[in-house]
Amino acid sequence: MSKTIDAKGVYYAQLNEQVRELIRKGEKDINIVNVNGQRYIGGGVEAQDVKIRIQGVTGEDLGAFMEGPTIEVMNNAQDGVGNTMNDGTIIIRGLAGDVVGYGMRGGKIFIRDDVGYRVGIHMKGFKDKQPVLVVGGCAGDFFGEYQAGGCLILLGLTKSRKKSVVGDYCGTGMHGGVMYIRGDFNENFLGKEVNHFELTQEDTDRLKPILDEFACTFGITEDILDYDRYRKIIPVSTRPYGSLYAY
Amino acid sequence: MLRKSFIRRPEHYGKDISACGVIGFIHHDKKRVDGSVIRKSMANMHDRGNGLGGGFAAYGIYPEMADKYALHIMYDTKDDAPEVEKYLESKLDIYKVEPISIFEVPAIPSYPYFKRYFVLPPKDRFPPISDNDYMVNVVMHINVNIEHAFVVSSGKNMGVFKGVGFPEDIADFFRLDEYDGYIWTGHNRFPTNTPGWWGGAHPFALLDWSIVHNGEISSYGTNRRYLEMFGYQCTLQTDTEVVAYLMDLLVRRHELSFEHAAAVFAPPFWKDIDQMPDAQKNFYTKLRMIYSAAALNGPFAFLMGYSEGLIGLNDRVKLRPLVVATHDKTTYMASEEAAIREICPEVDRLWAPRAGRPIIAKMNEEPVSLSVE
């Protein structure tokens, strides 16, 4: 049995309090309907097996600092999805705005369509805590800027109208983690700290379960396991500014 | 009697860093809707402001006086009106004068006095400059020289309504549900570097230009000094003011297209100019050099209304949010998608424009489409 909250006209603070109260009472399956721009849904919630299903456009910082729950949005999401999130899953069945996964430390974010600017910036990873962010569409500028860890995947499935699946300054300042980009992109858009490479067996082994899950989640029929269309982007120096003040 | 000044002009150099909210829409078929629509949309973005500024611009609201300039003037008190009116009578043909009707709301306990004048420059004036140039001079004269008054808006068949308060309260205060317009813009202010005062609220307007802006114009000092060379005086102490005057200078006086004006405001990077074909490279190099002092530095997303359209523009690295949506014969632009959905739940298309690329929605044309980039 799931519980449903009608968010129409409800201020974000009250809405989030209702969600937390249900979780405190042990509710595992929560539907929120008529959301329109309420901020911080699922923000800071620590719970391992809670599922929150949302109808409507979510506001800023969906799932910020979240640790554990699964959030599924049936529509678009605004800016700051998964800001500094620690663990859990966010699924967006539409597009998302700027700074998705900003400073993300763990967990998984799947976005079906396009994303805005600065997606995956400052994403980090430590030992087995490696965040995964997959974007089905195209991304704006500063994708993976200052990436320090984790895995960023861009599929470019909406590319028909764009020359490059990713925007300018991609991976600028990147010094850790890995990025996989599928489809054509302008090489001049890559930051000078990174380079792009063909995938190895190790890469495809890592990608396959993630891509299978992504395709299954959104019912994607196009073959996205066409690894010859992917490029791996990794930093070519771990200390790009190591000599900046040395001479 | 204690005199409270609403027409406060802080003496210090001021700029404005903000997390404001903007929304605008244009009915391409000139269908007019009342101000309750944009009020509802702004209320959705309530938390983008802090109650220290809200405002709206509306086009098409004075159809019976469409050929006259509508001056909206804000006075500290009713007693400050005669000085300005004496000046107006000496400079302009005045066709109609009326107070701007207000509705007292608890959230706005004190407020200035507002009056509206429908005017035209006299035919036998000297020197024989254009009507628009003449009106700019009148507006600048009042704003610079008359202490307890300033001109809120000065276009034809349009008006600006703004003040200190949340935008919903400002909409109620000015009874915006009694005005019908075909273009509306709205603003929710979160001032941090200059006081939230009545003149510093958005929109800023000159002739039929009006701007609402989220962000900060760090180049305010440079832009302001550049504008002074062309007779524009910045008196409202908020950075956004320069954009209204720059648009007037670039598009009305220098006859630049909106695309080229956008390239002045958010100039392409030199590294990108280097990649262009020769003719384009030559053009953008010249544009950047000629108008270097009109470039806008800093983060911005702004909406510029004028009588024939609505233009949205981001800074060239997109440091403020902006989304565009279309539905039927309407184009919407806003800081947040939810603000659009609040008044148009089902949109035909919705996307985030690219940094530095203007979205130009013109009257009597189809709604803007997602351009091929």
Side-chain angles (χ1 to χ4, degrees), chain A residues 8 11-12 36-39 57 59-60 76-79 95 98 116-118 141-142 161-164 167-169 188-189, chain B residues 44 47-48 269 271-272 275 316-321 335-339 341-342 349-351 353-355 370-373:
Chain A
K8 191 162 183 68
Y11 190 57
Y12 78 84
N36 194 34
Q38 282 95 340
R39 299 176 174 189
V57 177
E60 320 298 67
N76 296 337
Q78 289 183 179
D79 305 325
L95 55 80
D98 299 333
Y117 282 51
R118 297 180 182 79
D141 296 359
F142 307 102
R161 56 177 191 261
K162 291 192 171 112
K163 289 196 198 93
S164 178
D168 208 347
Y169 308 100
N188 294 326
F189 287 174
Chain B
N44 181 274
D47 287 323
R48 294 188 75 91
F269 287 102
K271 77 170 179 61
D272 297 328
Q275 304 289 322
R316 57 191 181 166
V317 289
K318 193 141 191 176
L319 285 161
R320 289 294 180 274
S335 302
E336 296 187 25
E337 177 179 342
R341 299 271 182 192
E342 191 73 16
R349 314 188 66 154
L350 181 137
W351 72 98
R354 289 195 60 190
L370 181 49
S371 58
V372 178
E373 288 167 340

Side-chain angles (χ1 to χ4, degrees), chain B residues 219-227 229 246 264 288-296:
Chain B
S219 54
Y220 172 75
T222 302
N223 302 142
R224 176 185 175 159
R225 285 188 287 279
Y226 177 70
L227 283 164
M229 297 196 292
L246 284 170
V264 169
R288 280 203 64 165
M289 290 170 79
I290 292 167
Y291 289 112
S292 65
L296 303 178

Side-chain angles (χ1 to χ4, degrees), chain B residues 71 81-95 97 115 117 119-120 122 134 138 142:
Chain B
L71 293 177
E83 183 187 354
V84 171
E85 287 173 354
K86 202 173 143 201
Y87 171 73
L88 293 179
E89 280 160 18
S90 74
K91 287 285 172 188
L92 298 164
D93 294 341
I94 300 173
Y95 294 84
V97 182
K115 231 168 158 178
Y117 305 83
V119 300
L120 278 178
Y134 189 92
V138 168
I142 295 170

Side-chain angles (χ1 to χ4, degrees), chain B residues 90-125:
Chain B
S90 74
K91 287 285 172 188
L92 298 164
D93 294 341
I94 300 173
Y95 294 84
K96 192 177 176 189
V97 182
E98 59 194 12
I100 295 179
S101 55
I102 57 140
F103 179 78
E104 288 210 357
V105 293
I108 302 173
S110 63
Y111 47 85
Y113 178 68
F114 291 92
K115 231 168 158 178
R116 176 193 294 129
Y117 305 83
F118 291 98
V119 300
L120 278 178
K123 290 216 162 36
D124 56 344
R125 62 182 181 268

